[in-house]
Amino acid sequence: MTLGDLGHSEEHRRLERALEVAGLGEFEWDRSRGQFVVSARMAAITGLPAGPMPADSIRTLEPFIHPDDLAEFRAGVVSQRPAGGVYEFEFRQVRPDDGRVVWLRVAGVMTRNAEGRPLNITGIVEDVTARKLEEDQRQTLMAELDHRVKNVLATVQALAVQTAKRTTSLEAFLQNFGGRLKAMGSANELLTAARWRGAAIDHLAAAELGALAPGQTGWEGPELFLTPRAANALALGLHELAANAVKFGALSVDTGRVNLRWVRLADGGFELTWTESGGPTVSPPARRGFGSTLLEQVTGRELNGETGIDYRPSGVVARLRAGAAAVAPRPETVPEAPVARIAETVATSAGPANLRGARVLIVEDAVLLAMELETGLSDAGAEVIGPAYELEEALALLDQPIDAAVLDANLNGHSVTPVAEALAARGVPFVFATGYGEAAGAPGGFEAPVIRKPYDVTQVAAAVAELLQAHTG
């Protein structure tokens, strides 16, 4: 054996190791002899017998290709011929040894003689079944996401129309519609955290009541998870009850209280009871608003049950009875109960925030939201800095006097953390206005209030005013 033979042998061993590590099998098709040689690695991938097999033409190999992929394979052969003898295909194969269907990627290069006639094709085979399955799953998820987004948009549109029909002023519409959107957002946040397998009733109660009136609300009952449809319906129902309690009922005074209790039923469903006490004397409303209609009809039907409201003089009592179809199995991933940072579910009787003279930085990548924030904060008397839509824009604005800031957590894929760190180092307070549902609190672990999207801009203004008061006081 010569030194050249040793070198060639070592190079061959390196190539063998590389093919093995990459999970590739190799083949050689000798066109002049009509012989297709399958390596041991290719045999393991395809189920074909290792060694030579007769192959006079490309059609000899077609029986090993899934019938549904044959037309595309043949078209690929024709289209790739002018490319200089380099071929690449992806197709399904029914393995001859065990009948399994696998996806293969086949790539080869053709060598020709001096007259241009094909001599042989050398190439590799790769099992890409896992990648194809991931692509299929991704397409399925995208289709499901598209379906859910359209359903949400349709629901939002219906809420807007129905709310507008039953309100007499723009201010009332914005308040009612914004609260209902927030209730939907809270339910969807919980469902997303549980991978849309279900949402716990106690988490829905905490999201709606947790920040309303500390010490005046309570809820109890067994662990129960609702389907996505039922969770959204219950979130809207609880919102309507909470909004009414804040405006007219038990939560409109300091002495009032709301208790929420639910029990399992023998048929697999549940019954939830909302009880108000200690508030003003109650009488039935003179007219039925959309909130009552939504609660009694929509929520009841979506829960596959019924809803009833009793306007007792001592306080409103509402009962929601749900069928077994509304209850979901316990999901594998159960999110933590939401942490209430700011009372943002329904509007209170407090007056508008006063930000007169305050210099407030807005960092938000959604242009419409930034415009809304700018208008709302300006109406409250603030001098708006920005808005900044990109991380670089926000960092460039930090060299001027800033009293407070409103930060979106994510700016076109970039974390707002550098801006938050710079503001924290200067002692400038800020609030996060974000669509991310982080149960642990503020993004990045900062000690800062969090307002979840969708929000009413008056909530943001109130949060900024509270920050400034705490900072200066």
Side-chain angles (χ1 to χ4, degrees):
M1 181 179 291
T2 66
L3 290 176
D5 292 332
L6 287 173
H8 178 73
S9 177
E10 179 60 30
E11 182 180 351
H12 181 72
R13 281 195 294 270
R14 285 198 299 268
L15 178 60
E16 291 275 322
R17 287 195 297 268
L19 290 171
E20 186 173 356
V21 169
L24 303 176
E26 69 276 19
F27 66 85
E28 185 172 3
W29 184 10
D30 190 330
R31 296 293 301 273
S32 60
R33 297 170 58 189
Q35 191 176 72
F36 190 93
V37 180
V38 177
S39 71
R41 275 184 290 269
M42 179 176 172
I45 292 171
T46 63
L48 297 171
M53 58 184 290
D56 295 326
S57 71
I58 192 71
R59 292 191 176 274
T60 308
L61 303 176
E62 288 185 355
F64 302 110
I65 300 173
H66 195 286
D68 292 345
D69 295 341
L70 262 179
E72 185 175 350
F73 174 78
R74 289 168 179 166
V77 171
V78 173
S79 65
Q80 295 183 57
R81 268 182 188 143
V86 178
Y87 295 89
E88 184 170 349
F89 308 95
E90 285 190 2
F91 54 81
R92 285 167 294 176
Q93 178 216 11
V94 181
R95 288 178 56 120
D97 56 345
D98 56 18
R100 287 189 298 121
V101 176
V102 294
W103 274 97
L104 301 179
R105 182 178 76 89
V106 179
V109 59
M110 178 184 293
T111 57
R112 302 175 183 270
N113 60 17
E115 290 77 30
R117 298 185 60 183
L119 291 178
N120 60 58
I121 297 177
T122 304
I124 54 94
V125 175
E126 179 184 9
D127 186 339
V128 294
T129 306
R131 173 168 64 79
K132 284 291 185 178
L133 288 176
E134 288 179 2
E135 290 175 359
D136 290 344
Q137 290 172 353
R138 192 177 300 113
Q139 289 297 322
T140 301
L141 289 173
M142 290 299 295
E144 177 65 19
L145 178 61
D146 180 65
H147 170 72
R148 288 179 180 170
V149 167
K150 288 177 179 176
N151 277 347
V152 168
L153 290 176
T155 302
V156 169
Q157 182 182 40
L159 276 177
V161 171
Q162 294 299 322
T163 303
K165 285 182 177 180
R166 291 167 170 82
T167 50
T168 56
S169 69
L170 177 60
E171 182 180 358
F173 168 79
L174 292 175
Q175 178 179 321
N176 294 335
F177 181 59
R180 288 163 184 157
L181 276 186
K182 183 61 187 176
M184 288 182 60
S186 297
N188 278 267
E189 183 177 315
L190 292 170
L191 289 168
T192 299
R195 300 179 182 177
W196 278 79
R197 297 290 188 268
I201 292 183
D202 60 329
H203 290 182
L204 292 168
E208 190 59 43
L209 300 178
L212 270 184
Q216 292 182 253
T217 60
W219 51 89
E220 63 175 335
E223 184 180 64
L224 273 176
F225 292 87
L226 304 186
T227 64
R229 182 172 176 174
N232 274 299
L234 182 59
L236 282 173
L238 292 178
H239 168 75
E240 297 306 322
L241 289 168
N244 186 74
V246 167
K247 294 176 184 177
F248 313 111
L251 299 183
S252 66
V253 296
D254 293 339
T255 57
R257 182 168 179 81
V258 169
N259 286 309
L260 191 63
R261 187 172 181 270
W262 59 91
V263 295
R264 289 180 181 270
L265 299 177
D267 63 2
F270 68 91
E271 185 174 82
L272 180 146
T273 304
W274 169 288
T275 305
E276 297 184 29
S277 60
T281 301
V282 173
S283 58
R287 66 179 185 87
R288 289 173 56 83
F290 177 55
S292 297
T293 302
L294 188 151
L295 186 63
E296 293 182 359
Q297 295 187 22
V298 178
T299 301
R301 290 182 181 275
E302 292 293 285
L303 291 175
N304 195 32
E306 57 185 7
T307 302
I309 306 177
D310 187 2
Y311 295 96
R312 300 177 183 177
S314 58
V316 170
V317 175
R319 287 187 175 87
L320 286 73
R321 189 181 184 93
V327 179
R330 191 181 198 276
E332 297 177 3
T333 303
V334 179
E336 297 180 10
V339 179
R341 291 298 184 104
I342 298 171
E344 53 179 328
T345 307
V346 296
T348 65
S349 58
N354 184 2
L355 298 176
R356 190 177 307 279
R359 294 159 297 193
V360 182
L361 170 66
I362 296 176
V363 181
E364 168 62 64
D365 62 359
V367 176
L368 286 176
L369 285 180
M371 291 171 61
E372 183 185 11
L373 283 171
E374 184 176 13
T375 300
L377 296 180
S378 296
D379 288 347
E383 176 189 337
V384 172
I385 300 173
Y389 303 102
E390 303 282 350
L391 182 61
E392 293 75 11
E393 288 182 80
L395 292 172
L397 293 174
L398 296 180
D399 59 354
Q400 53 188 297
I402 299 172
D403 297 315
V406 179
L407 307 179
D408 186 8
N410 186 289
L411 300 173
N412 293 316
H414 298 284
S415 172
V416 79
T417 296
V419 178
E421 289 176 341
L423 292 172
R426 289 170 49 180
V428 176
F430 51 87
V431 59
F432 286 105
T434 176
Y436 286 93
E438 300 185 27
F446 290 97
E447 288 295 326
V450 180
I451 296 181
R452 308 293 184 191
K453 297 176 181 176
Y455 52 70
D456 184 330
V457 71
T458 59
Q459 299 163 358
V460 182
V464 173
E466 186 176 334
L467 278 178
L468 290 171
Q469 184 177 4
H471 187 67
T472 57

